[in-house]
Amino acid sequence: MTAERFREEIIDHLLHTFGVTPENAGDETYYKAVALVVSDLMRRGRSETEKRAKATHTKQVYYLCMEFLLGRSLKNNLFNLGLEESAREALRTLGVRLDALYDQEPDAGLGNGGLGRLAACFLDSLSTQGYAAMGYSLRYEYGIFRQKLVDGWQTELPDFWLPGGKVWLQEAPEKAVEVHFDGHVEEAWYDNHHTVNHKDYTKVLAVPYDMCISGKDGRAVSKLRLWAARSSDFDMKTFNSGNYLRAVEQNAMAEVITKVLYPEDNNPEGKSLRLSQQYFLVSATIQDIIRRHLFEYGTLDSLPELTAIHLNDTHPVLAVPELMRIMLDECGYGWEAAWDIVSRTVAYTNHTVMKEALECWNQDLFRLRLPRIYQIVEEINRRFCADMHGRGVDGYKVGRMAPLNDGFVKMANLAVVGAHHVNGVSALHSEILKETVFRDFYQEMPGKFTNVTNGIAYRRWVAQANPGLAAFLEKHIGGGYLADAAQLEKLLPLANDGTALRELEQVKRENKQRAAGYLKKAYGAVVNPDSIFDIQVKRLHEYKRQHLNALHILSLYLWLKEHPQADFTPRTFIFGAKAAPGYYFAKQIIRFIVKLGEMIDADPAVREKLKIVYVEDYRVTLAELLIPAADISEQISLAGTEASGTSNMKFMINGAVTLGTLDGANVEIHEAVGDENIILFGMTTEQAEALRQSGYRPGELANNHPVIRQALQLMENGFGGMDYKDLASSLRGSDPYMVLADFDAYAQARQRAEALYRDRQVWNRMCLTNIAKAGRFSADRAIREYAQNIWHADPIPQIPVNKKG
Ligand code: 26W
């Protein structure tokens, strides 16, 4: 689209959609008008994609996830459609700056962290590579809370994103479906025919809101369908009989289902509302998938050949009994035929080994809320157990694998039983799954288990988030890497090119300056762009060990006090993390970091050398600013705990060096770049396990280690008007994630990092090699592996529609 045409369309939307003249419109309205122009284009692209997929009978991929952490869309879509320049020019003639409009867009924060961001990256790749794909999730009214730190303590504010975010959503009321809860089930025989009736249920309407997800160069457009809960009918009878409040209340009860995203990550609460959300997503989605399939093909017999349903973690696993329910109760299938179809259609990815993250529902709660689904789960369970017993499997083992056990519905067990493939998200994680969480299953059905290492939408994370690096790449290796990430390896010959390396250093330096400017503006934090930018951004969780990072900074502080003359490269430590609102210990860690930063700031002897910035309200948009500015990427989880990590990949491709443990995808990053280009430290998974087995005694370790002892004492004595006794005593007492055991190795690794950094040529070469080797962590590669090994799906053939079918 030309700039002139773009301009006309913007003006058209201003006048006719928003009723304002170009002269009177503000940036917010301009942002919306531009978004609508882009949306219109994408919708046309989407119908093309659908037409081609239908004409060629291409297998559909349906990606179900309770979270899609999309961030902003405008820049991404303009970039993908190749329209950024036209838009910029069109707006310029109207006296408006495109970059100002970007800042009008709120982040669509419909997710907590890695799981949700991965889903967003995957949709991008599915579109780019031209698969026939849809994502399904919920249209939460409130996304992940806005974090506000009050004297270091995290408080949560609602994230009402829809006013600025809904321009991307198109309501499709004609595709609304009913979802049924509660009531009871009656079974009967009529004329030899067994019928099941779900009686007296409550209905909630699921209304789809569709968002188009563009791919690079518009090869295909995917659709993300977000369901919103709406009361199916206002109870006029109750209302008329004078019971106004009750009538309104019923309405509100239905709509509460999609009111807010659960801010828990890795720690489910087992609340009935979350179960309702999950079933709501699954039931609406499965009905939609079946409707689409029947409309095209008229029978569900071909479902496994023509659709792949992917469960992103266990949260949408009720898709398995829901699909069974519809086939049994509404389509007349018998159990065996239905089960055969379901279990050839559904696949499942596990994203965490945290025991407490494996969702279990209280059986009674489940039965009351979802009586028919419960019955089906019972039958799945009965048949699975009978089958296992029949094969001579030990009774305890069958119990451990059973979907129903100990009064709970075990979601992970149901997922493995119902899925044809189960995968972990990094090589190490997939191995750990087979040895621990799914050991029993792996012994009985080894063929189900596989690995697909995560990947990232690198075009967003490099070409859009890091224009300086994009220009550097364009200059030295051309634009081919945008379609084929493996081409980043073309950089390797520059490893000894001093001029190119200095250029790369300059790119980093400018990104650091840009980030510094923002930190000054947003938080009043003054940071030195010549210091080492050492960044840890991710959810706050003990296993990720932000407190290891902070404890080491505290020890550096104490050391610098004693060695004021020491030759020391100034460092800026940047943290960004939200804690689950009820995770009290995590909130204490945040406060400890913030207060430590304040103590350092107040100390003229140290503050030129050390600086901590805790960025409030870390989110996708801040990640896009901070990651390109990083020198060091902190990936310091206890080995064996982080399933994959994906920020490690984003940092790497932006030319930061990983300082990390052999955990998750760090293992594969190490493999890719070699010993020379990563700074590894700490115990391996096996060593950590062995230490635990042999009896880990952190208290003793603390007392015998002068540096740790002194640091913990300072925490106990307190500073900044409070003490950090809870934290210190957890470390001394049990230290579940072995912070103290890895402390020395971490301190040494940081020293090595400093030494490497001081040799600018060596460091720049490390950065360059990291970028060059990041290609395998592209989501395009991950999606191809899913498509080939799990979904058995191909991209839509690139033939003109009218030549076929
Ligand atoms: C409240 C229930 C719950 C439980 C687990 C909510 C969310 C989860 C997620 C599975 C946690 C999560 O986001 N896991 C992360 O998934 C990323 C993508 O695969 C990995 O890179 C991270 O290592 C993993 O922590």
Side-chain angles (χ1 to χ4, degrees), residues 473 477 485-495 504 652-655 672-673 765-776:
L473 293 171
I477 64 171
Q487 291 191 26
L488 288 167
E489 292 222 13
K490 289 187 184 166
L491 281 177
L492 283 177
L494 299 181
L504 187 60
M652 175 191 194
I653 204 167
N654 276 286
V673 300
R765 186 180 303 136
M766 291 173 80
C767 298
L768 183 105
T769 314
N770 270 276
I771 301 168
K773 294 289 189 179
R776 68 196 260 191

Side-chain angles (χ1 to χ4, degrees), residues 571-712:
R571 321 233 181 122
T572 300
F573 297 99
I574 299 176
F575 290 87
K578 290 179 182 175
Y583 191 174
Y584 194 72
F585 195 77
K587 288 185 162 180
Q588 288 183 307
I589 295 176
I590 296 178
R591 188 165 59 186
F592 171 56
I593 299 169
V594 171
K595 290 284 162 181
L596 177 59
E598 289 173 3
M599 175 167 73
I600 294 170
D601 279 347
D603 192 334
V606 196
R607 67 179 172 215
E608 303 296 315
K609 302 172 188 166
L610 288 187
K611 171 80 190 170
I612 293 180
V613 183
Y614 198 107
V615 298
E616 223 171 28
D617 202 34
Y618 177 63
R619 58 193 182 276
V620 172
T621 296
L622 278 183
E624 288 164 358
L625 175 75
L626 294 173
I627 292 174
D631 296 306
I632 294 178
S633 154
E634 295 278 345
Q635 306 298 337
I636 61 177
S637 50
L638 173 66
T641 62
E642 186 70 272
S644 160
T646 44
S647 79
N648 45 5
M649 305 168 183
K650 295 161 198 159
F651 279 107
M652 175 191 194
I653 204 167
N654 276 286
V657 175
T658 304
L659 194 159
T661 48
L662 276 173
D663 199 15
N666 299 352
V667 175
E668 288 152 86
I669 291 179
H670 173 226
E671 236 171 64
V673 300
D675 290 337
E676 307 286 272
N677 297 297
I678 187 166
I679 303 161
L680 290 175
F681 76 95
M683 294 177 285
T684 60
T685 306
E686 292 75 26
Q687 287 165 339
E689 189 49 36
L691 177 58
R692 197 186 309 287
Q693 294 296 328
S694 71
Y696 173 46
R697 279 183 290 278
E700 252 168 56
L701 198 161
N703 289 333
N704 296 331
H705 192 298
V707 174
I708 293 178
R709 193 173 58 216
Q710 196 193 0
L712 290 181

Side-chain angles (χ1 to χ4, degrees), residues 141-349:
E141 231 167 278
Y142 295 87
I144 186 68
F145 62 83
R146 283 192 296 126
Q147 179 191 52
K148 187 150 176 46
L149 300 177
V150 180
D151 201 20
W153 193 251
Q154 171 180 295
T155 56
E156 298 88 23
L157 297 172
D159 165 48
F160 191 45
W161 70 289
L162 283 170
K166 69 174 180 222
V167 273
W168 299 107
L169 302 176
Q170 193 182 38
E171 188 180 350
E174 73 286 358
K175 303 229 167 76
V177 296
E178 271 181 23
V179 178
H180 296 172
F181 294 95
D182 312 321
H184 58 274
V185 179
E186 279 175 9
E187 300 186 49
W189 288 90
Y190 297 107
D191 302 331
N192 277 338
H193 185 64
H194 182 223
T195 64
V196 177
N197 265 312
H198 186 183
K199 289 270 177 75
D200 304 323
Y201 49 76
T202 16
K203 312 188 253 203
V204 181
L205 210 59
V207 182
Y209 285 77
D210 294 343
M211 189 167 170
C212 286
I213 308 288
S214 62
K216 178 84 179 93
D217 296 336
R219 185 159 160 205
V221 176
S222 305
K223 183 153 47 185
L224 174 58
R225 179 155 279 177
L226 302 173
W227 299 101
R230 186 153 316 150
S231 169
S232 71
D233 36 40
F234 187 67
D235 190 345
M236 241 9 218
K237 226 163 73 196
T238 311
F239 187 79
N240 289 338
S241 70
N243 212 337
Y244 306 114
L245 278 181
R246 188 159 163 65
V248 173
E249 189 179 85
Q250 273 176 359
N251 251 24
M253 289 288 276
E255 285 168 19
V256 83
I257 293 178
T258 51
K259 199 49 96 183
V260 54
L261 167 82
Y262 267 86
E264 267 79 44
D265 175 280
N266 267 309
N267 203 351
E269 272 196 78
K271 292 266 163 64
S272 168
L273 180 59
R274 185 169 164 90
L275 178 64
S276 304
Q277 288 190 334
Q278 295 185 350
Y279 182 65
F280 182 76
L281 164 63
V282 150
S283 177
T285 301
I286 295 297
Q287 292 181 60
D288 200 49
I289 291 173
I290 289 183
R291 177 188 55 75
R292 287 168 58 88
H293 188 85
L294 286 180
F295 185 79
E296 264 333 287
Y297 301 107
T299 166
L300 292 178
D301 290 352
S302 56
L303 197 69
E305 283 73 40
L306 291 160
T307 71
I309 297 180
H310 202 83
L311 309 179
N312 204 26
D313 215 279
T314 57
H315 318 146
V317 71
L318 298 182
V320 171
E322 176 68 1
L323 197 42
M324 288 298 288
R325 179 187 73 77
I326 296 177
M327 298 186 77
L328 296 169
D329 298 357
E330 292 172 19
C331 303
Y333 280 87
W335 185 279
E336 270 94 16
W339 183 252
D340 173 65
I341 288 173
V342 172
S343 57
R344 286 191 294 127
T345 305
V346 175
Y348 151 64
T349 301

Side-chain angles (χ1 to χ4, degrees), residues 511-513 515-516 519 527-535 570-574 626 629-633 757:
N511 291 336
K512 287 163 80 171
Q513 219 147 12
L519 296 175
V527 308
N528 170 7
D530 289 314
S531 62
I532 301 177
F533 276 30
D534 180 314
I535 307 190
R571 321 233 181 122
T572 300
F573 297 99
I574 299 176
L626 294 173
D631 296 306
I632 294 178
S633 154
Y757 184 87

Side-chain angles (χ1 to χ4, degrees), residues 42-67:
M42 289 195 298
R43 270 198 285 280
R44 262 174 262 157
R46 175 64 193 174
S47 15
E48 270 308 300
T49 301
E50 290 209 14
K51 251 193 254 162
R52 274 196 295 126
K54 280 180 185 167
T56 53
H57 297 178
T58 300
K59 192 167 187 175
Q60 295 279 341
V61 175
Y62 297 113
Y63 197 81
L64 277 59
C65 188
M66 289 281 284
E67 307 188 4

